[in-house]
Amino acid sequence: MKILMVASEAAPYAKTGGLADVLGALPAALAAGGDQVGVVLPYYRSAAAKAQHSQPVYDRMELWFSPTRSYHVGIRRLDDRGVSFFFVDAPQFFDRPALYGESNGDYPDNAIRFAVLCRAALGVVRSLFRPDIIHCHDWQAGLVAPYMKTVFRGDPTFAGIRNVMTVHNLGYQGIYGREVLAEIGLPREMYNPARMEFWGNLSYLKAGIVYADALTTVSQGYAREIQTPEYGFGMDGLLRSCADVLTGIVNGVDYSEWNPETDPFTAARFSAADLSGKVACKADLLRTFGLPDDAAVLERPLIGIVSRFASQKGFDLIEEVAVPLMEQREVSLVVLGTGELRYEEMLRALAVRYPARVSVRAEFNNAVAHKVEAGSDMFLMPSRYEPCGLNQIYSLRYGTVPVVRATGGLDDTIDESTGFKFAEYSASALFHALNAALDAFPDRERWTQMMKNGMSRDHSWGSAAAEYGALYRSLIAD
Ligand code: ADP
């Protein structure tokens, strides 16, 4: 089978979150199983730095958006782990410091930037890589199927190609005013509730969902939740109407990158059979965060967080429980993250109040993320909603016991034998779960068993890739 994926992130070329981990690993897992796989990505400044060996394979692809408006892009190709990455080289849109926006907000031309990505992907299909399946990820790739099925309907190039859309996070919907239609070369009729119109605007994500042949999201729990008003972000009705083509496939993780036995970023290696290296990782983590690492501190439970600072991730609950937690329990906390300033400030204030026990690093730093996974005793993820979540799965492999809210992928991947869960989105429920974990911690036998239970869980990409493969085959057979 030939599969072309379209996305706005893929590790190691461009990453702000879990989407990049998925696009960094799933294509390679499919290729290892014998499929031919391509990925279309923007040639961001960060991608250019990491893909120096990519070769230009198409110099001037002209993308017409109207009789008077066109853009030129180049396509560069890099073969990596059996996958062909096609980078859309359009400096006016992608040669920028960030992927989506900077401190003063989103880039104002994001509607055009990602329309260009989608049209360029169809150019790749026309000239370089004609797949059986086009698999689009999130709103940035949402216009691929709509272009194919409206503007290019009847073009034999695209005949018979099936579209899969994966929703990695329904909270990001690519919403723009209806005036954008003229700029992105889609017909006015797209402003229609049966197509792209969404509460008076346009939604790229909705368009991708409406025009897809099959729809997936990244856990079974989340597939159910997004059909309810509480988690549907205004799209629950649409998603209920697509229920027959909507499935949940839990993300795998890349154990060649996240493995305590081989991790190059941590102070020591360890495994379920020999956990002794973990204490060196804990000491190193404490030092990395500028906290004391004497014997008494090493005995004390250490909670780790790696997260975007966003309301999705439950920081309002953390804000409510932090002071009582620090006052009532002997515990330390290290936090790595970037995002909304209000949460960063809240965490910094906590670190000022408890300087020997709380420390925050507001940066995006993969090496430190590995250290947090390896050196913490518990990993905290009290998300309001969580489509899949990867950090809790990494935590399992590092013997770092997750404390999570039972939602979406967190609920699907953590059970009572591997972690602590709470259901109600409230500070008291979170505090209760944290107390249960802290009460269990001194019982070394029970705790070590929990660590080992988690370490033995297998979330490698093999089974998820097989589920995607079965879905693709069912579409082609239709
Ligand atoms: P989301 O995609 O919603 O941000 P996930 O848990 O699915 O959450 O994936 C987050 C990914 O981003 C993980 O690989 C995590 O290690 C990484 N990550 C998040 N914040 C940081 C950070 N500040 N530094 C390094 N890696 C980070």
Side-chain angles (χ1 to χ4, degrees):
M1 237 175 343
K2 260 179 110 171
I3 303 127
L4 186 68
M5 307 228 179
V6 186
S8 60
E9 301 188 19
Y13 305 108
K15 171 165 171 170
T16 68
L19 173 67
D21 298 61
V22 174
L23 270 294
L26 172 61
L30 288 164
D35 293 319
Q36 257 182 286
V37 190
V39 178
V40 181
L41 271 183
Y43 198 52
Y44 302 109
R45 190 175 298 170
S46 64
K50 293 191 177 105
Q52 301 100 333
H53 301 302
S54 61
Q55 297 295 327
V57 287
Y58 204 110
D59 279 346
R60 264 173 78 85
M61 181 179 279
E62 193 162 14
L63 308 174
W64 287 94
F65 283 75
S66 78
T68 53
R69 185 200 301 260
S70 74
Y71 301 106
H72 288 106
V73 304
I75 306 291
R76 304 177 66 89
R77 175 174 169 164
L78 180 69
D79 289 336
D80 174 12
R81 291 163 294 154
V83 177
S84 299
F85 285 85
F86 296 99
F87 292 99
V88 179
D89 188 5
Q92 75 186 105
F93 294 119
F94 300 128
D95 184 14
R96 300 186 188 178
L99 273 54
Y100 309 120
E102 294 168 48
S103 51
N104 50 357
D106 283 353
Y107 293 130
D109 57 350
N110 276 350
I112 311 289
R113 296 172 76 222
F114 293 104
V116 165
L117 173 70
C118 294
R119 283 290 305 275
L122 293 179
V124 169
V125 171
R126 190 185 293 288
S127 306
L128 298 164
F129 188 102
R130 190 188 182 286
D132 305 300
I133 299 283
I134 302 184
H135 186 167
C136 295
H137 299 266
D138 277 355
W139 72 263
Q140 294 90 346
L143 297 187
V144 171
Y147 280 128
M148 241 177 82
K149 293 183 181 178
T150 61
V151 181
F152 297 113
R153 193 182 51 207
D155 182 333
T157 310
F158 304 109
I161 297 178
R162 314 295 294 190
N163 287 100
V164 177
M165 179 82 205
T166 295
V167 178
H168 294 260
N169 191 331
L170 195 64
Y172 298 86
Q173 302 179 322
I175 293 184
Y176 300 101
R178 63 191 293 184
E179 66 285 354
V180 160
L181 281 177
E183 294 176 56
I184 60 177
L186 278 170
R188 262 203 311 252
E189 302 82 74
M190 294 298 276
Y191 185 76
N192 175 318
R195 298 179 173 189
M196 237 181 131
E197 187 271 347
F198 185 60
W199 305 108
N201 283 305
L202 302 172
S203 162
Y204 284 26
L205 182 68
K206 175 173 175 178
I209 291 172
V210 165
Y211 284 90
D213 298 306
L215 191 58
T216 76
T217 186
V218 287
S219 67
Q220 280 133 22
Y222 196 58
R224 282 191 300 275
E225 285 174 352
I226 57 179
Q227 297 179 50
T228 67
E230 191 185 350
Y231 292 94
F233 285 99
M235 286 194 192
D236 45 295
L238 169 68
L239 291 162
R240 282 195 298 280
S241 74
C242 302
D244 54 333
V245 294
L246 170 61
T247 49
I249 300 177
V250 175
N251 289 332
V253 307
D254 184 352
Y255 288 124
S256 69
E257 202 204 331
W258 297 93
N259 181 354
E261 297 177 45
T262 54
D263 196 322
F265 298 115
T266 55
R269 263 34 72 198
F270 59 92
S271 66
D274 179 6
L275 286 166
S276 57
K278 195 165 164 81
V279 67
C281 294
K282 184 171 179 176
D284 175 58
L285 174 62
L286 289 163
R287 285 193 297 275
T288 302
F289 276 80
L291 293 175
D293 64 341
D294 51 82
V297 178
L298 287 174
E299 290 281 306
R300 181 195 293 158
L302 173 58
I303 300 174
I305 295 177
V306 179
S307 182
R308 286 185 291 117
F309 293 156
S311 59
Q312 177 202 337
K313 301 292 181 176
F315 283 99
D316 51 339
L317 298 190
I318 293 174
E319 177 168 22
E320 273 189 67
V321 303
V323 170
L325 180 73
M326 287 298 142
E327 292 296 329
Q328 293 172 30
R329 309 291 310 218
E330 274 294 305
V331 60
S332 306
L333 174 68
V334 294
V335 185
L336 171 69
T338 54
E340 289 178 42
L341 210 55
R342 59 182 165 145
Y343 297 124
E344 184 183 325
E345 283 166 357
M346 176 273 286
L347 292 162
R348 284 197 194 287
L350 197 66
V352 167
R353 186 160 173 179
Y354 302 99
R357 291 196 287 147
V358 179
S359 180
V360 182
R361 286 181 70 138
E363 60 175 328
F364 198 92
N365 187 321
N366 187 44
V368 177
H370 282 248
K371 287 177 191 287
V372 175
E373 291 293 358
S376 304
D377 296 301
M378 302 168 192
F379 193 90
L380 180 58
M381 227 167 146
S383 304
R384 183 182 287 277
Y385 72 94
E386 195 58 71
C388 178
L390 292 171
N391 285 300
Q392 85 282 8
I393 308 180
Y394 302 150
S395 299
L396 289 177
R397 185 46 64 102
Y398 284 81
T400 298
V401 175
V403 179
V404 303
R405 175 150 181 267
T407 181
L410 295 172
D411 199 21
D412 285 6
T413 55
I414 305 302
D415 60 51
E416 283 66 31
S417 72
T418 58
F420 295 84
K421 297 204 271 195
F422 63 100
E424 185 188 276
Y425 189 78
S426 70
S428 61
L430 166 60
F431 201 32
H432 190 264
L434 279 168
N435 275 325
L438 292 166
D439 290 343
F441 184 75
D443 180 346
R444 297 318 297 163
E445 205 173 314
R446 175 177 170 207
W447 193 264
T448 306
Q449 190 53 51
M450 264 190 124
M451 291 168 69
K452 289 185 175 174
N453 294 343
M455 295 176 91
S456 69
R457 293 289 188 273
D458 183 5
H459 286 278
S460 49
W461 266 106
S463 60
E467 285 186 64
Y468 281 110
L471 173 68
Y472 301 151
R473 269 188 294 282
S474 73
L475 290 173
I476 294 173
D478 272 357

